[in-house]
Amino acid sequence: MKKSLLPLASLLLMGQMSNAQHMNYPQTRKEDQADNYFGQKVTDPYRWLEQDTAKETEAWVQTQNQFTNAYLQQIPYRDAIRERLTQLWNYEKYSAPFKNGQYYTFYKNDGLQNQSVLYIQTGINGKPEVLLDPNKLSGDGTVALQATAFSKKEKYFAYAVSASGSDWQEIYVMDVKTKQLLSEKIEYVKFTGISWKGEEGFYYSGYSKPKDEATKYSAKTEYQKVFFHKIGTAQSEDILVYEDKEHPLRYVGADLTEDERFLVLGISEGTDGSEIKIKDLKDASNKGFTTIVPGFETNASVVDNIGDKIVLNTNNGAPNYKVVLLDPKNPAAANWQTLIPEQKEKLEGVGTAGGKLFANYLRNAVSVVEQYDYKGKKERSITLPGLGTASGFGAHKDDKDFYYTYTSFINPPTIYHYDIATGKSTLFRKSSAKFNPEEYETKQVFYPSKDGTKVPMFITYKKGLKLDGNNPTMLYAYGGFNISLTPSFSMALIPFLESGGVYCLANLRGGGEFGEDWHKGGMLSNKQNVFDDFISGAEFLIKEKYTSSSKLAIRGGSNGGLLVGACLTQRPDLYAVAIPQVGVLDMLRYHKFTVGWGWAVEYGSSDNQDQFDYLIKYSPLHNIKKGTCYPATMITTADHDDRVVPAHSFKFAATLQENQGCEKPNLIRIDSKAGHGAGKPTTKVIDEAADIWAFTLWNMGIKNLKFPK
């Protein structure tokens, strides 16, 4: 393979751009690489693509991007989709205001700003001023704001930023009144919160300096620690609060209760299962931490404290979660006092405000919020505008009110004021999006999976839809890590819906929508259930004549990228288009990069023979068969993705191109100065959405598009 870029004409024989065109893919060098897994030889000829900073890999990326762009440029309505997205995106967007003492803060985006700007004002009716504008931190909008926190008396404001979508972050501190930065700069931070102790300083989670800066985006990340940073001192003087030298592959986060009495450590060996340790900072004789929830068989989180007792949200003996009160001096589960018992609905989270508890339940993946007092007495169910997702039920103990956000598939985020004493919600700010929800509708259906399990799915479309099997349809899902997919508005979907498209979101097993039993039904050796749920959803949509195989696309990101990769290899006949985004596609080596080790509790590891035996059966990379006709596929990833390293997508793309048995295109789109998705600037979001919709619709055979003026 020549490392120089090939001219566009030789990259792609476009002809008249028919769907039967010949795809003249760039050649990818193969090497003689194989591994022995428990007596089974597994080849890995594109292993060299794991070296993401190597010159040959960089040349491969450039050639593949040029090839993909040459294909996309020939789609006649690609620019029209981008223009429509830009037009739709250009409206003011606000977050709900949050109170910190005398101040309220909120995010606002004027329309097409790459990053939303953080504003501050004194009182709810005060004049907004810019507190921090991330757009000024880089010329191209690729530096994003992450964790933020005010000190106890709002003298200081600490914030973390990440560049180019990386998980690596740096923490800075600002004087709130002068808006001047202090000398503070905390480096080598990842997966952290910021928890202030008065005005003195704050706790954070960090790592030692990487041994090699060149490989820090792909090398395994180990030994996370908790530090305390005192204002006015150098990072080298930060106090090491907690480390575990015996267990390098654990996450640890630190948080103070609101009264600053307890320092809480949340520890996990991966993405499932937790251990909780606390230290009573008011007890001078208490030098160490006390384990109040041993790991790692259950999931739990500290909600608050009542004096010397801890309020805990837990799924110990309660798959749908419950809230209990425990005494740190006698923390055994047998001694817990139940405050809010387990319900038939999954308790998604618990917030605190004004001395009340706010329990956010999921009823068939839709928000239901209830208000309790600290003794566990239910005071009211909060009336929400409809079947959607409500968030933001949290404030300080002395607050009388707060603001929350409601959204659905067809309702842009709307902000409401909530009075804690009366339970009254009042409209505070309505979205100015140029979109009419009255023209669309969403319904929820339940379909049978392969084993008869009923799986819910939301279906959104323009009113008057004809069930003739000819509607362009996008099926999206995630199905993993106890993550719940609930209704939310995305402007990126609107051009597709305007074009007569049907958008479907399925709540597969492996997610958290129905509690821990639902989650466990789709993890480890049960992972095939997730793929069966998704495939059954596709079959349902075809059977009910929403669409047909020639008009059906599937899409998912991260663990959802694994989902799409597995389903396109298991049932390539079922879909016209597949969009696996930043996917986990090599299930035998994922744990060898960055924080991939943390997913072994969800997937299993190829280091274990029993787990290897089921991983090899569905690993997308290892189930591509030569001569099979795979759907038109566009894989998306990014050069700074240090969550799911781009090597997954690189190797999958090369293998798919090598083995494709028909003329349907198999492309890869590799974004630059971008990561796993968080903090991606508006321009990149719009460009990516335009490319995905253009590729999808074109490969459904749709030749013309018209949008409202």
Side-chain angles (χ1 to χ4, degrees):
M1 169 186 166
K2 293 182 179 180
K3 295 182 181 179
S4 60
L5 294 181
L6 302 174
L8 282 178
S10 63
L11 280 175
L12 191 59
L13 302 181
M14 301 303 298
Q16 296 300 310
M17 192 58 185
S18 71
N19 287 335
Q21 68 199 22
H22 173 63
M23 300 300 297
N24 185 24
Y25 296 112
Q27 293 294 308
T28 303
R29 178 177 67 81
K30 297 177 71 174
E31 60 185 14
D32 185 17
Q33 171 68 49
D35 299 298
N36 187 306
Y37 291 90
F38 311 102
Q40 182 173 340
K41 180 182 177 182
V42 179
T43 60
D44 194 4
Y46 300 119
R47 174 85 53 91
W48 62 272
L49 286 169
E50 292 178 356
Q51 305 300 319
D52 57 331
T53 58
K55 294 296 184 184
E56 187 178 10
T57 304
E58 291 176 353
W60 182 89
V61 167
Q62 198 171 0
T63 301
Q64 289 285 344
N65 268 343
Q66 191 175 7
F67 183 82
T68 296
N69 196 48
Y71 181 94
L72 295 172
Q73 281 179 343
Q74 305 304 310
I75 299 175
Y77 43 70
R78 179 196 189 193
D79 289 342
I81 294 175
R82 184 185 293 108
E83 290 171 7
R84 180 59 179 156
L85 282 166
T86 303
Q87 181 186 38
L88 288 166
W89 226 279
N90 194 14
Y91 70 96
E92 290 184 337
K93 308 167 193 69
Y94 291 85
S95 73
F98 188 84
K99 186 180 180 185
N100 288 281
Q102 63 178 318
Y103 299 117
Y104 280 87
T105 54
F106 63 92
Y107 289 92
K108 178 188 175 186
N109 191 304
D110 289 341
L112 297 174
Q113 288 175 292
N114 277 317
Q115 303 288 341
S116 294
V117 178
L118 182 60
Y119 286 83
I120 187 171
Q121 62 190 51
T122 303
I124 195 60
N125 296 314
K127 181 181 178 181
E129 298 178 359
V130 173
L131 180 63
L132 185 62
D133 184 356
N135 298 289
K136 295 182 178 180
L137 301 179
S138 66
D140 55 5
T142 55
V143 172
L145 195 56
Q146 303 291 342
T148 64
F150 282 90
S151 60
K152 194 70 173 179
K153 295 182 180 179
E154 301 87 44
K155 181 178 180 180
Y156 301 117
F157 176 71
Y159 61 92
V161 296
S162 65
S164 301
S166 171
D167 283 331
W168 287 109
Q169 302 172 15
E170 296 175 346
I171 299 176
Y172 298 89
V173 182
M174 177 191 297
D175 181 291
V176 175
K177 284 190 176 181
T178 66
K179 298 185 177 59
Q180 296 298 308
L181 285 179
L182 278 62
S183 60
E184 265 63 15
K185 181 182 180 181
I186 312 298
E187 298 180 284
Y188 314 119
V189 171
K190 186 186 286 194
F191 311 125
T192 188
I194 300 171
S195 190
W196 281 89
K197 181 181 179 184
E199 311 298 304
E200 180 184 351
F202 54 84
Y203 297 93
Y204 69 94
S205 301
Y207 291 89
S208 299
K209 182 179 179 179
K211 294 179 181 179
D212 184 357
E213 285 286 330
T215 61
K216 75 174 185 178
Y217 295 114
S218 59
K220 184 181 288 188
T221 309
E222 300 177 311
Y223 296 105
Q224 190 173 33
K225 310 170 186 66
V226 172
F227 297 94
F228 180 78
H229 175 76
K230 187 175 182 180
I231 293 300
T233 64
Q235 182 177 2
S236 59
E237 299 177 45
D238 288 356
I239 300 169
L240 178 63
V241 175
Y242 180 85
E243 70 173 331
D244 186 343
K245 294 182 178 180
E246 296 181 2
H247 300 96
L249 303 183
R250 286 183 178 177
Y251 302 110
V252 55
D255 195 20
L256 279 172
T257 52
E258 188 175 341
D259 64 1
E260 297 191 355
R261 176 164 182 172
F262 291 101
L263 177 60
V264 180
L265 300 182
I267 304 169
S268 66
E269 290 189 328
T271 53
D272 187 58
S274 59
E275 180 169 273
I276 298 178
K277 298 178 183 289
I278 65 169
K279 179 187 286 189
D280 188 343
L281 300 182
K282 290 188 177 181
D283 184 353
S285 64
N286 184 5
K287 301 294 184 182
F289 287 91
T290 300
T291 300
I292 61 170
V293 177
F296 294 89
E297 298 301 316
T298 63
N299 289 296
S301 59
V302 170
V303 176
D304 200 358
N305 66 300
I306 303 174
D308 60 354
K309 305 295 191 299
I310 298 293
V311 180
L312 188 77
N313 183 21
T314 177
N315 67 353
N316 187 350
N320 286 344
Y321 291 80
K322 62 184 177 182
V323 180
V324 301
L325 187 68
L326 68 85
D327 183 348
K329 296 177 181 177
N330 297 286
N335 301 322
W336 294 353
Q337 174 190 341
T338 299
L339 293 180
I340 304 176
E342 181 185 22
Q343 309 289 332
K344 64 179 181 179
E345 289 90 8
K346 193 276 185 83
L347 178 58
E348 185 73 355
V350 183
T352 63
K356 307 293 181 181
L357 300 174
F358 292 87
N360 195 329
Y361 291 93
L362 290 182
R363 182 173 296 159
N364 292 331
V366 171
S367 291
V368 175
V369 184
E370 296 180 346
Q371 179 177 317
Y372 293 83
D373 67 17
Y374 267 61
K375 295 181 179 180
K377 179 184 177 182
K378 181 181 173 180
E379 296 183 336
R380 64 177 59 90
S381 294
I382 297 173
T383 302
L384 299 175
L387 300 180
T389 302
S391 60
F393 290 84
H396 298 292
K397 281 187 177 179
D398 57 356
D399 288 338
K400 306 298 183 185
D401 57 3
F402 57 81
Y403 297 82
Y404 70 88
T405 302
Y406 167 83
T407 185
S408 72
F409 291 108
I410 58 176
N411 292 102
T414 304
I415 302 169
Y416 291 86
H417 170 264
Y418 182 76
D419 184 278
I420 297 172
T422 65
K424 184 179 180 181
S425 293
T426 308
L427 178 64
F428 175 73
R429 178 170 281 136
K430 191 175 182 179
S431 171
S432 60
K434 303 176 185 69
F435 171 76
N436 184 7
E438 298 301 318
E439 296 179 5
Y440 300 86
E441 61 181 303
T442 296
K443 71 177 181 179
Q444 188 179 42
V445 300
F446 290 80
Y447 64 87
S449 188
K450 183 178 180 179
D451 63 0
T453 299
K454 293 292 184 180
V455 180
M457 177 163 58
F458 294 100
I459 306 177
T460 301
Y461 48 86
K462 188 181 289 186
K463 289 179 179 178
L465 178 76
K466 292 182 180 180
L467 298 180
D468 58 5
N470 199 41
N471 301 299
T473 299
M474 175 67 79
L475 175 59
Y476 180 90
Y478 187 80
F481 293 94
N482 201 26
I483 291 174
S484 303
L485 295 187
T486 60
S488 63
F489 182 81
S490 172
M491 193 58 82
L493 294 177
I494 304 309
F496 181 64
L497 294 175
E498 289 178 336
S499 305
V502 179
Y503 178 72
C504 308
L505 185 147
N507 299 110
L508 314 180
R509 279 175 284 186
E513 294 88 350
F514 297 96
E516 190 59 21
D517 290 342
W518 191 255
H519 174 215
K520 288 181 176 178
M523 64 185 290
L524 296 172
S525 60
N526 293 323
K527 189 67 177 177
Q528 184 59 41
N529 287 336
V530 184
F531 313 137
D532 291 342
D533 289 355
F534 198 59
I535 290 168
S536 296
E539 292 173 334
F540 172 86
L541 292 167
I542 294 169
K543 178 185 175 184
E544 297 298 318
K545 296 190 180 301
Y546 284 94
T547 190
S548 61
S549 290
S550 64
K551 289 286 197 297
L552 177 61
I554 56 174
R555 180 178 176 181
S558 195
N559 174 73
L562 161 62
L563 170 71
V564 172
C567 290
L568 80 86
T569 54
Q570 291 184 17
R571 285 295 307 276
D573 60 303
L574 198 53
Y575 341 94
V577 179
I579 310 289
Q581 299 186 260
V582 293
V584 187
L585 300 165
D586 181 349
M587 298 308 296
L588 303 187
R589 289 177 58 79
Y590 75 84
H591 59 298
K592 297 181 180 293
F593 304 98
T594 60
V595 294
W597 52 263
W599 315 330
V601 294
E602 180 81 12
Y603 296 140
S605 168
S606 62
D607 295 337
N608 177 300
Q609 183 171 357
D610 292 341
Q611 295 175 338
F612 165 80
D613 287 343
Y614 65 72
L615 287 169
I616 190 67
K617 290 178 181 177
Y618 73 75
S619 177
L621 178 65
H622 301 96
N623 283 279
I624 297 172
K625 297 177 175 63
K626 191 166 188 64
T628 298
C629 181
Y630 290 103
T633 301
M634 187 164 72
I635 303 154
T636 71
T637 187
D639 61 356
H640 279 67
D641 189 346
D642 48 4
R643 186 84 55 87
V644 180
V645 293
H648 285 272
S649 296
F650 293 174
K651 295 199 296 182
F652 189 71
T655 307
L656 203 57
Q657 290 176 355
E658 176 194 357
N659 292 282
Q660 173 66 304
C662 61
E663 298 304 325
K664 295 180 180 179
N666 295 153
L667 309 178
I668 183 168
R669 183 188 188 277
I670 306 153
D671 218 339
S672 62
K673 297 190 72 175
H676 199 58
K680 184 176 287 189
T682 297
T683 50
K684 287 185 177 292
V685 172
I686 290 176
D687 285 346
E688 182 180 58
D691 288 352
I692 287 172
W693 289 127
F695 180 86
T696 297
L697 292 167
W698 184 255
N699 283 286
M700 290 176 174
I702 295 171
K703 301 302 181 184
N704 298 294
L705 282 183
K706 290 184 179 180
F707 296 116
K709 293 182 178 181

